[in-house]
Amino acid sequence: MIIAIDGPAGAGKSTVAQKLASQLGLNYMDTGALYRAVTLLALRNHVELEDEKQLARLARDMKLTVDHRDGKRPPDRVFIDGEDITKAIRSNEVSEKVSRVSSHRAVRSQLVKKQCAMAEGGGIVVEGRDIGTVVFPQADLKFYVTASANERAKRRYEEMKKEGHGVSLQSIEREIIRRDHQDSTRATNPLKQASDAVLIDTTGKSIAEVLGILANIVREHTGRAGNDIEA
Ligand code: DC
């Protein structure tokens, strides 16, 4: 079984995808982490963000492994060549540059290959931007999870405030809108809802509510209780 969850940044995809995977006893894959890892390598190796060939080489050669924690928080740890890069790939610098890196066709094609290899055998919830449209068009269930830009900015603002970062709500909202625009207008595999994906608008909804909606749909789809579902 493959469940695809796509949607823009900050819509609550990760939290819901991890919880759903854990409830269903499925694995979980955060495909954004792969694009972030290539971006981190590019910054460290001083590779130009326009140098598609070099970026694709980094994507092809990186030895990325993920330590799954059964969908429990804190999230899966991500390693490149044994180095824990979980925190480094969430830095502001990587977040600012990742859309640019992920717009290159050759980078995407390398990373899609890796995603297919990582999901071999199924039994997985996969989260990203193009999972239902490009990576796993044959997924058993597809969700497109979104929320208003203002709500997504507020959630991010609260998170950052908790972590002690002093940023303004306006600047976060601006950054979210910029990233949405870049992700949804790029030529290769842009962010968009698959025609057979279920649209979930999380604006004004709690994580528990959203999870409940998704679990019900999975249950209807499989005809079994959500937590009885196996890979
Ligand atoms: O989900 P995230 O914010 O960690 O993703 C980081 C970036 O990676 C996002 O701005 C777009 C890109 N991305 C992508 O192009 N395709 C995916 N399947 C996942 C992420």
Side-chain angles (χ1 to χ4, degrees):
M1 168 157 202
I2 295 180
I3 299 179
I5 302 188
D6 290 304
K13 289 190 309 286
S14 300
T15 312
V16 173
Q18 285 174 58
K19 285 185 184 290
L20 188 70
S22 156
Q23 251 190 29
L24 302 178
L26 301 177
N27 287 324
Y28 160 73
M29 190 194 328
D30 164 20
T31 60
L34 277 75
Y35 292 92
R36 287 175 177 273
V38 177
T39 307
L40 179 68
L41 288 177
L43 292 170
R44 284 185 176 176
N45 292 289
H46 308 290
V47 172
E48 290 285 327
L49 300 185
E50 304 309 318
D51 190 343
E52 181 165 5
K53 236 181 168 175
Q54 283 297 338
L55 292 170
R57 206 164 286 156
L58 289 177
R60 185 195 63 194
D61 295 341
M62 75 175 176
K63 301 272 175 287
L64 182 131
T65 51
V66 179
D67 175 13
H68 296 289
R69 298 182 171 186
D70 303 327
K72 292 191 188 89
R73 287 260 170 203
D76 294 347
R77 284 190 302 156
V78 184
F79 297 83
I80 298 180
D81 294 321
E83 180 196 345
D84 187 342
I85 55 156
T86 315
K87 260 204 173 150
I89 58 173
R90 307 275 153 208
S91 70
N92 282 340
E93 200 181 6
V94 169
S95 297
E96 270 167 29
K97 309 267 159 56
V98 63
S99 279
R100 192 70 213 99
V101 170
S102 60
S103 69
H104 296 295
R105 179 185 293 274
V107 172
R108 303 199 69 82
S109 106
Q110 290 298 335
L111 294 186
V112 168
K113 269 192 224 161
K114 280 196 161 54
Q115 289 159 35
C116 291
M118 287 164 83
E120 216 176 52
I124 193 161
V125 178
V126 188
E127 176 216 324
R129 303 290 192 286
D130 58 347
I131 309 307
T133 50
V134 174
V135 186
F136 297 117
Q138 79 287 14
D140 301 86
L141 260 174
K142 300 177 188 179
F143 294 104
Y144 189 84
V145 176
T146 189
S148 72
N150 183 259
E151 168 119 358
R152 288 184 281 135
K154 274 189 195 149
R155 290 178 192 163
R156 183 82 192 113
Y157 175 70
E158 291 304 328
E159 254 173 43
M160 293 187 82
K161 220 166 62 176
K162 251 191 238 159
E163 289 166 11
H165 300 292
V167 281
S168 76
L169 179 61
Q170 286 84 348
S171 70
I172 296 178
E173 189 168 352
R174 262 200 311 273
E175 173 60 20
I176 281 187
I177 292 170
R178 184 189 68 82
R179 202 131 75 90
D180 283 356
H181 180 74
Q182 258 187 351
D183 291 345
S184 55
T185 56
R186 68 175 173 235
T188 313
N189 311 354
L191 166 68
K192 70 168 186 223
Q193 186 183 342
S195 56
D196 51 350
V198 181
L199 176 66
I200 311 279
D201 188 344
T202 70
T203 310
K205 293 191 180 73
S206 68
I207 290 164
E209 280 175 288
V210 176
L211 193 59
I213 296 170
L214 262 63
N216 271 337
I217 296 172
V218 174
R219 217 169 283 145
E220 275 167 26
H221 177 80
T222 59
R224 289 190 286 166
N227 43 13
D228 287 346
I229 295 164
E230 287 166 5

